[in-house]
Amino acid sequence: MSATTPAGQSPIPAAAPASLSTREPQVPADRLVAEMVPPPRFDSARFATYIPDPGQPSQAEAVRVLSGFAEGLGGAHATGAGKRRWFARAKQPAPAGPRGVYLDGGYGVGKTHLLASLWHATPAEPALKAFGTFVELTNLVGALGFQQTVRTLSGHRLLCIDEFELDDPGDTVLVSSLLGKLVEAGVALAATSNTLPGKLGEGRFAAADFLREIQGLSAHFKALRIDGEDYRHRGLPEAPAPYSDEQVTKAAYATPGASLDDFPQLLGHLARVHPSRYGALTDDLTAVCLTDVTPVPDQSTALRLVVLADRLYDREVPVLASGVPFDALFSEEMLAGGYRKKYFRAISRLTALARDAKPLVAG
């Protein structure tokens, strides 16, 4: 692959694209804490920019309820009173009843937009608000330890948890204990999921064995149902079909800041990188180019791909691919199983990113 040069001169080799498969980022714990803010895609998300579907009254109702919830988090401590008062506040009795809101609905109805809007609308300094996915929250506990995580987040006015899912019994007990401590400290909670809080873990593990913990989680939230169709594909053309290996490779070389990877090789590399570092894996990329996309071979690989798809979507990184279309990534068995909502979300988001990548292919 060579750059264009004047006639009579030797071609200048183009710089090779980056490769995700060679990156092994190290993410310090303080970065995990500092990055607990809405992702770049939702920097400008506000209640006023959420466009409710006129045919789905629950969407407009969600804006009304969440706006009131944000206003209710104002008060004497909302203008930077400092963490000393917050720790003092932790000694106060926890308020009766649910201390949070739980946005339940299908993928693509704008739950993350609403959650980010709540974060922005809450009258407190950014350092007193935290926003992260469920995976990022459990990764934070792994990096800091349980007690330090409690101390760090107890000084916050609001904790927003996106994509709330319980994939194993250990997470159930961990998150139940963590949120209980934070509610006692006076921290307000908000979460999104495709599963009602009382149904978390259903279809994934023996949820009945952990019913007490799951019911404890549910008690912290008032559920708010949001109905609707996937906005990412509402009224839009179908996603572009996969390109050829040659088209993807040429686009990768022609796009500054793009990466180029063989898809099966990338999947193997993801198994060696902790999911907490998938965001850092994509640092400074303008596009991700993948050749030979094939169906994922097993559920562990599929779940890692879901996390990568989420991080790429958060960061608005287009994805150009050859091979099978993204709606063929997961087997029928996977799409009918307990993680099906995660897989459908990944398909939805990757399809949107594939649409964003269409301009990268010349002609």
Side-chain angles (χ1 to χ4, degrees), residues 82-161:
K83 290 194 174 183
R84 181 176 301 176
R85 292 187 181 181
W86 278 101
F87 284 114
R89 188 169 180 248
K91 300 176 183 178
Q92 301 293 330
R99 180 59 179 161
V101 290
Y102 193 99
L103 310 182
D104 174 69
Y107 50 92
V109 297
K111 299 186 301 298
T112 302
H113 184 125
L114 290 170
L115 191 68
S117 299
L118 173 64
W119 188 92
H120 287 296
T122 296
E125 294 178 359
L128 297 181
K129 302 181 285 187
F131 184 109
T133 65
F134 180 83
V135 170
E136 289 169 332
L137 180 63
T138 55
N139 289 339
L140 183 66
V141 177
L144 298 183
F146 183 83
Q147 294 300 333
Q148 183 58 40
T149 301
V150 171
R151 286 192 290 269
T152 298
L153 296 181
S154 289
H156 287 61
R157 179 171 294 278
L158 173 69
L159 170 62
C160 295
I161 311 169

Side-chain angles (χ1 to χ4, degrees), residues 32-118:
L32 294 176
V33 176
E35 290 185 344
M36 292 196 73
V37 297
R41 178 176 287 271
F42 298 99
D43 279 344
S44 60
R46 301 293 187 275
F47 291 128
T49 62
Y50 179 79
I51 304 175
D53 184 341
Q56 302 291 346
S58 61
Q59 295 186 9
E61 175 66 7
V63 173
R64 186 191 68 80
V65 172
L66 291 172
S67 296
F69 186 76
E71 292 174 3
L73 296 178
H77 301 288
T79 55
K83 290 194 174 183
R84 181 176 301 176
R85 292 187 181 181
W86 278 101
F87 284 114
R89 188 169 180 248
K91 300 176 183 178
Q92 301 293 330
R99 180 59 179 161
V101 290
Y102 193 99
L103 310 182
D104 174 69
Y107 50 92
V109 297
K111 299 186 301 298
T112 302
H113 184 125
L114 290 170
L115 191 68
S117 299
L118 173 64

Side-chain angles (χ1 to χ4, degrees), residues 144-225:
L144 298 183
F146 183 83
Q147 294 300 333
Q148 183 58 40
T149 301
V150 171
R151 286 192 290 269
T152 298
L153 296 181
S154 289
H156 287 61
R157 179 171 294 278
L158 173 69
L159 170 62
C160 295
I161 311 169
D162 201 17
E163 301 155 13
F164 201 118
E165 295 286 353
L166 297 182
D167 295 339
D168 61 60
D171 282 347
T172 305
V173 176
L174 173 70
V175 175
S176 177
S177 300
L178 176 63
L179 297 188
K181 293 289 187 182
L182 296 180
V183 168
E184 289 177 4
V187 180
L189 307 174
T192 72
S193 181
N194 305 120
T195 307
L196 286 168
K199 301 291 186 180
L200 287 167
E202 194 172 78
R204 297 169 176 79
F205 56 84
D209 295 339
F210 297 87
L211 186 60
R212 180 171 58 85
E213 285 80 4
I214 292 173
Q215 288 177 336
L217 283 171
S218 180
H220 296 316
F221 298 101
K222 175 182 179 181
L224 188 62
R225 176 72 187 179

